[in-house]
Every structure is written in C-alpha cells, then in structure tokens.
Amino acid sequence: MQRFENKVAFVTGAAHGIGRATVLRLAAEGALVGAADIDAEGTAAVVAEAGSSVVALNCDITSTASVEAAVAATVERFGRLDVLANVAGHNLALEGTDEQWGRQYDFTFVGATRCIEASLPHLLESRGSVVLVGSISGEVALGTAPYAAAKAALANLVRNLATDHGPKGVRFNVVAPATVATDRFIGKEALLEELKAIYPLGRVGTGEDVAAAIAFLASDDASWITGITLPVEGGLTTGPGHVLNLL
Ligand SMILES: NC(=O)c1ccc[n+]([C@@H]2O[C@H](COP(=O)([O-])OP(=O)(O)OC[C@H]3O[C@@H](n4cnc5c(N)ncnc54)[C@H](O)[C@@H]3O)[C@@H](O)[C@H]2O)c1
C-alpha cells in the first residue's frame, strides 16, 4: 500500500517507540517524513534505517521556537506538509502541585497545540490531517491524574478543531493507546507479562499496532473521519468480564 505517495509528514517523538514506528510505517507507505525529537542520536538511527525519505530534526515540543523551526525545516526540505503526527509525550510522574500540573499540561496539551499552530498553514494548503497521540488513561481512570487529564483534553481539542477546520478540508483525530511495550518499559518486562492478563486480546500493544492506527487516520482511507478519539487498547475498556472470567 502506498497511501502516502507524494505526501509529507511531520512526526514528533520520532526517535523511539510509537513515534519511531510511525515514521517507519509512513515512510514504508511512500511518505517523506520530518522525524522530530530531542534525542538526536535516536533520530539519526531512524534515518539510517529508513533512508533518504526521512530527515532528522532536533525538536523540543515544549518550545514554540523549536517546533516552528522543525516544521519549517520539513517544508523547506520536502516542499509541503500533509500530515502532522504528534507522538512525543510521557507521564512526568507528578503528584499534583500547581507547578507540576502546569508542567504536565504544557508538555502534553500545549505541546500538541504548538505543533498544530506551526503546521496548520501548510495543512490548510494541502487539505491535510492531524493525529495526536493521547492515552486510554485519558478516557478511563487508571491513575496518574495530571498526565491522564492533560491527555483527556486532547479529545475535546480535536472535536473543536475538526469543527472549525473541517469545512476547509483539514481533519483532526486522536489515538488513545493502552499499554504499549516501548522503551519506557525497559527493565519492567515482568510487569508487561502480568499486564497481558487484563487484555482480552491476551497481549500488550506494540509501537507498530499504534502506528497502523495513526497511518489509517492520517490517510485518505479515513477521509470521512474527524474529531474522534480512537482507542487502540486490545479490548482493555470493553468491561470487566474478561478479568472476572479468570477468577
Ligand atoms: N507506551 C505506552 O504504554 C503508552 C500508552 C499510552 C499512551 N502513550 C503515549 O504514546 C506516546 C509515545 O510513547 P512511547 O511509549 O512511544 O514513548 P517513548 O518514551 O518510547 O518515546 C517517546 C519519544 O519522545 C521523545 N521526547 C520526549 N520529550 C520530548 C520533547 N519535549 N520534544 C520532542 N520529543 C520528545 C523521546 O526522546 C522519545 O524518542 C506518548 O505521547 C505517550 O504518552 C504511550
């Protein structure tokens, strides 16, 4: 499938995990990709794997100037922008002081709006698409309230932006993953093994599982889908029946 032939994507969090898998998936489907991350060594490794269709960009989504420069560099290099995938993010493991709520919100929510602001003029030209990575913890209570609440705000953001910009041809969606075995679980393999039991599909997710959902929403296959939050969660939130059956 070459759904992204002649299309250009900008992906944050591109050096590892879901972001890395997204860069490789989009490139494999024909996209030219600006791979943005704070980890320059990591993005260089992704370019080494993907080849010249991917350019590595230093970018910190907590800095407006940094995001603007990275989006501009993508457009300068490849001439247009069709897809924004904002993947960068993590739980800052905060407890809930004013400063900590603000820091998590700035990273998770304002980080996404920074990427959208910088990309939108180009996406309006190309009638492009935005996919933000949220979390299933933004949909149901799984703990870590500052992170979860900031992720939850993305669902409302895309509903509003989808309404504002739908008539101009730009789509906005969120994917909400549950447990995905990425670098953040290095050293916690026993926990991943235990977590399998709470998933009806019997396993935790992979970066590729989420990248496939991002690619779908970013592609013309989803051309009549906007403003949604798509759970990518192995059935975790279907209900407690699966776990009760184990007892
Ligand atoms: N792994 C999971 O279980 C899981 C579950 C739900 C949601 N998510 C979400 O998926 C996204 C990716 O998670 P992952 O597991 O692939 O993480 P990861 O830690 O494997 O990769 C995150 C990437 O983001 C980069 N990054 C960190 N801060 C950045 C910044 N300020 N600017 C630019 N890049 C930055 C890191 O260098 C890294 O390459 C995150 O938004 C996360 O909240 C992950």
Side-chain angles (χ1 to χ4, degrees):
M1 259 193 304
Q2 291 295 305
R3 293 183 294 187
F4 297 98
E5 196 96 44
N6 302 317
K7 306 247 182 194
V8 177
F10 177 75
V11 180
T12 72
H16 298 280
I18 295 167
R20 178 179 174 282
T22 301
V23 172
L24 296 175
R25 175 74 190 235
L26 295 178
E29 290 199 41
L32 301 166
V33 188
D37 203 289
I38 49 171
D39 176 358
E41 220 174 283
T43 44
V46 176
V47 171
E49 186 170 348
S52 60
S53 58
V54 178
V55 63
L57 303 161
N58 285 326
C59 174
D60 178 353
I61 66 161
T62 67
S63 156
T64 301
S66 175
V67 170
E68 286 175 350
V71 170
T74 302
V75 174
E76 194 178 325
R77 171 72 177 260
F78 296 129
R80 56 185 286 134
L81 186 65
D82 302 276
V83 173
L84 161 65
N86 183 48
V87 186
H90 53 87
N91 174 18
L92 296 171
L94 305 177
E95 283 153 15
T97 66
D98 285 359
E99 191 271 337
Q100 289 167 332
W101 283 97
R103 212 151 56 83
Q104 181 74 63
Y105 190 78
D106 181 74
F107 183 27
T108 302
F109 183 81
V110 187
T113 63
R114 282 185 191 103
C115 294
I116 292 167
E117 289 290 331
S119 304
L120 191 56
H122 308 291
L123 298 175
L124 285 166
E125 269 181 41
S126 62
R127 298 175 72 84
S129 170
V130 172
V131 183
L132 307 176
V133 175
S135 170
I136 204 65
S137 60
E139 307 302 303
V140 295
L142 294 170
T144 64
Y147 169 78
K151 288 290 196 186
L154 297 175
N156 190 279
L157 177 69
V158 295
R159 283 198 290 273
N160 276 283
L161 294 179
T163 308
D164 293 345
H165 298 292
K168 294 168 253 170
V170 183
R171 298 183 296 106
F172 296 82
N173 293 294
V174 171
V175 296
T179 310
V180 182
T182 58
D183 288 2
R184 69 177 59 193
F185 287 101
I186 287 173
K188 295 183 183 164
E189 289 75 15
L191 172 64
L192 285 179
E193 198 54 36
E194 268 177 44
L195 283 172
K196 284 180 180 176
I198 63 170
Y199 285 89
L201 288 178
R203 65 174 179 89
V204 300
T206 62
E208 289 72 20
D209 289 326
V210 185
I214 293 171
F216 165 65
L217 286 173
S219 78
D220 288 346
D221 284 344
S223 60
W224 210 44
I225 300 176
T226 195
I228 70 153
T229 293
L230 176 65
V232 184
E233 39 76 289
L236 180 69
T237 60
T238 48
H242 172 67
V243 179
L244 293 176
N245 287 343
L246 290 177
L247 297 178

